[in-house]
Structures are given as structure tokens and as C-alpha cells.
Amino acid sequence: MNMENPFNNTEIAFSLKSNRELRKAHFLFKMMGYPSLINFGSAVMMKSLQWRLPVKGLIKHTVFEHFCGGTTEEECKSVVDNMYLKGVSSILDYSVEGKEDEADFNAVVDKKLKLIKHAAHSDALPFEVVKPTGIGRFYIWQKVTEKKELTAAEQAEWQRIKDRVLLLSQTAYDNDIALLFDGEESWMQDAADELIRDMMLQFNKEKAIIYNTLQCYRHDRLDYIKELYNDAIENNFIVGVKIVRGAYMEKERARAEEMNYESPICANKMATDEMFNSAMYFILDHLDVIKLCIGTHNESSTLQAMEILTKKGIAANNKDVWFGQLYGMSDNLTFNLAQMNYNTFKILPFGPIRDVMPYLIRRAQENTSVAGQTGRELILIRQEMKRRGL
């Protein structure tokens, strides 16, 4: 193994992949090297599903199988069990997006409640995850963030959202399962931040049950985590935080330009990396109050976190710190970290193929747009194929 970079060990990284799966991963990431092809293919797949053309089998055995655990939580079981044998935990993420009515929101809550209770019976499932706009209309989150007056009907709708958040948080607490709230667009996020903070105050007295997500491409996030830390000290609660770089950069910048306000996004990739690392350093300096999930595919940030933990004499398996990656990406990070005894998880999406397509398209496009991601995956896959003599 390369002693300078422990993440080059492809035998460990791809230990769960058969030769067939490795060849398929090679094909997929090769295709992701062509953004125009990905965009065209994504549009064709969506249209084919809308027109009910017989493409589900093709989708299931290519991109779906690579990035998702299955169509149901039962189908995910073998993936969860196999990863856990390698020391990697899972977060089952019912990845149905873009719903807009109350029946759909209630259905998502019912599914999340079931997943929390399911996780309570498995050591392999320490967390559950919820997307705020999956349980309430974006428009309402936005209007509350903008501090605009709500109509009577909107007030009732906002109360239903708050009730759902409380029910999910209470259920997570009762079942001793940590609940991660996803971060979303800045113009709805303040309402989510405030509500999630209230859940931390209520349920994070002894340990971190409720976690919020910090999108570190926002230039105000270090200030935010410092304020949350002071709030926690003053009001005697524990903070749970997942840090990520962020997922809505182009949309954020375009809206800021169109509506003529200062962009909330860091000026460039270097500034984003600095913000991510600064937030990470601050939290690792305050693990007595803040518990951390490091959600990253960035090797440099991961190595820096490991170095800090070593310097501070904090054991790799200390439950105050977790490392997480998306299923189907950066196996060299996840599985090598687990081999070194760090707490690791994969976010494992699942759901009906038609409903999960927007998620899959975003994953494919993300790989084409993140500088070096596809190239790095391909190099490692080819390295392992060569090692196996494929």
C-alpha cells in the first residue's frame, strides 16, 4: 500500500465488486467523461420512462445498480450486510424527489418513520436522513426564511411541516437513531436551520440525535457554526453537524445574478475548500459540544481530518466523528477508512426507478462537473482491473 496515500489500495476499495461489476463501473465512469452524452442520455431516459417504454431493465442493470441499493429497503439488505462485513455502515435514503402535495409529504414521513424503526434493529444503520423539502413545500420554507407574512392557510401548512419535523425527531430520539437533515438552497435554508436547531435543543441533551447539514460552498457557514456553538454552550445542548461542500452552486449563482444580490457562494473552488477545512478544524477543536459527519469525496480534506484526530490523540473509532460518501462513488475512501477503523457510512439511495431518476441524473452530472472526480475513479478502477488481470 502507498504509505503516503492510504486511499490508493484498490484491493480493499473494490473488495465487494465482482469482475463483472468492476467492468460495468469502468464503462459508466468512462461514459461520464462526456458531459454532453450524459445530458443527452439523461433526457432520453426520462422521456422513455414518461412514455412507458421498456427501458427500466436497462436502467436498473447499469446506472441504477451502481448508485442505488435497490427499489425497496428489503432489496438493499444484502448490500447493507455486505458493506457492514467490511466495517462500513449505511444510511438508507428513500430518494424520491420533487413531490408537491400533502399526501406525498405524508407518505415520505411514513416511509422515514418506518426506516428509523427499521434502523433501530440493525447495528449497520446508525443514521436516517430527511430532506426538508421532501416533507413540505419549498415555497413555504422560502416564505418563512424571507420572514414574509403567511396567510391563514399557509400558517396551517407551516404548522404541519413543523409537526412532521417534530414527529421524525421524536421517533429518532425514541429509537436512538441519529437523524440527518439535508442542506438545500440558501433562500429556504434559514427556516430549516432554525427548526432543526430547536430539535437539537429538545433532543440533543445527552448525545447528538439531530444533525444539520452545512453546505460549505456558502461563505457564511463558518460564522454560522460558531454561532450555533455559542448557542449550544448557552442553552446546554449538543450540536450534530454534517459538513459537505454543496450541491446547488450553479443555481445559487444564477439566482443571485438574476435578482441582483450578493452571491452566497464562495468565489472559487479554493475558497470553498478553505471554508470546508476551516469548518472542519473548528468542529474538531470542539468535539465536546459538536459531533461531526464529514461528507466528502475529497482525499485532501479526509487526510487532514485523520491527521488532526491523530495529533489530538482521538481514536479512529471515536463515535463523535464519522466519514461518509455516496454509494457508487469514492469506494477508495470509504473502504480504506473502514479498514483503518474509522467510522464510515455510505448513503444508500433506494426507491422506484422512475421516482429515483432525478437523483441518478444529478449523481451522473455531478461526476462530470466535479473536477477530476471521474478521472480519479477511472484510474483506480483500471488499477484494480490490472491487478486482477482483467
Side-chain angles (χ1 to χ4, degrees), residues 17-301:
K17 287 212 181 314
S18 66
N19 291 347
R20 182 187 72 85
E21 288 168 331
L22 200 62
R23 286 193 182 101
K24 188 164 65 180
H26 180 263
F27 170 77
L28 280 172
F29 281 107
K30 200 172 175 185
M31 290 301 100
M32 287 173 201
Y34 302 96
S36 56
L37 187 63
I38 288 296
N39 291 333
F40 175 73
S42 299
V44 168
M45 282 195 288
M46 285 303 291
K47 283 294 182 192
S48 299
L49 286 169
Q50 285 169 14
W51 294 337
R52 303 194 179 277
L53 298 179
V55 295
K56 277 190 181 178
L58 173 66
I59 294 168
K60 183 167 187 178
H61 295 300
T62 52
V63 64
F64 184 89
E65 218 170 60
H66 185 83
F67 289 113
C68 295
T71 58
T72 65
E73 55 266 45
E74 290 77 20
E75 278 186 21
C76 294
K77 187 177 186 309
S78 61
V79 178
V80 170
D81 291 346
N82 287 336
M83 288 200 294
Y84 197 58
L85 288 173
K86 300 292 183 182
V88 177
S89 298
S90 297
I91 301 178
L92 289 178
D93 184 8
Y94 184 60
S95 297
V96 173
E97 301 183 357
K99 303 298 185 182
E100 276 287 306
D101 64 54
E102 295 289 298
D104 288 322
F105 297 143
N106 289 330
V108 169
V109 171
D110 288 345
K111 175 63 81 172
K112 296 294 181 183
L113 293 172
K114 183 180 176 187
L115 289 170
I116 291 167
K117 290 167 185 173
H118 174 66
H121 299 288
S122 171
D123 291 340
L125 302 168
F127 295 88
E128 185 45 45
V129 63
V130 63
K131 188 180 174 78
T133 56
I135 58 171
R137 276 201 305 153
F138 189 103
Y139 174 77
I140 299 296
W141 290 103
Q142 179 180 345
K143 201 164 179 183
V144 173
T145 292
E146 292 170 346
K147 302 199 180 326
K148 290 181 176 172
E149 191 175 343
L150 302 180
T151 65
E154 288 168 349
Q155 284 173 357
E157 193 174 345
W158 175 235
Q159 186 58 51
R160 288 194 295 274
I161 292 172
K162 291 198 290 185
D163 290 344
R164 291 179 192 125
V165 169
L166 178 60
L167 176 60
L168 288 164
S169 300
Q170 180 72 59
T171 305
Y173 177 82
D174 291 344
N175 287 275
D176 198 25
I177 294 296
L179 186 61
L180 284 169
F181 284 90
D182 280 338
E184 301 192 60
E185 290 90 340
S186 61
W187 59 97
M188 63 69 63
Q189 189 63 44
D190 285 358
D193 287 347
E194 287 168 22
L195 193 46
I196 295 162
R197 177 265 176 201
D198 290 346
M199 296 301 102
M200 288 185 198
L201 177 64
Q202 188 165 345
F203 297 107
N204 286 11
K205 291 298 188 186
E206 298 93 25
K207 62 188 287 190
I209 291 290
I210 307 301
Y211 282 72
N212 199 4
T213 297
L214 260 66
Q215 301 206 90
C216 293
Y217 64 9
R218 284 182 57 175
H219 51 63
D220 65 351
R221 292 296 86 178
L222 181 59
D223 291 338
Y224 171 75
I225 193 61
K226 287 179 177 177
E227 286 168 15
L228 194 55
Y229 169 76
N230 291 330
D231 183 9
I233 294 287
E234 192 176 328
N235 293 291
N236 191 33
F237 65 92
I238 293 165
V239 175
V241 167
K242 181 176 78 161
I243 55 172
V244 299
R245 277 171 169 77
Y248 305 97
M249 186 172 68
E250 288 84 1
K251 192 192 287 190
E252 291 274 4
R253 284 187 175 146
R255 186 177 189 268
E257 189 174 339
E258 183 186 332
M259 300 182 69
N260 197 30
Y261 61 85
E262 184 193 354
S263 171
I265 304 303
C266 293
N268 51 41
K269 173 74 164 62
M270 186 185 295
T272 299
D273 289 343
E274 286 173 6
M275 176 57 65
F276 184 94
N277 291 336
S278 295
M280 182 173 75
Y281 295 156
F282 179 83
I283 295 166
L284 290 172
D285 274 339
H286 299 92
L287 283 178
D288 55 328
V289 175
I290 313 177
K291 311 308 174 186
L292 177 63
C293 291
I294 302 170
T296 186
H297 296 241
N298 185 289
E299 290 181 23
S300 174
S301 293

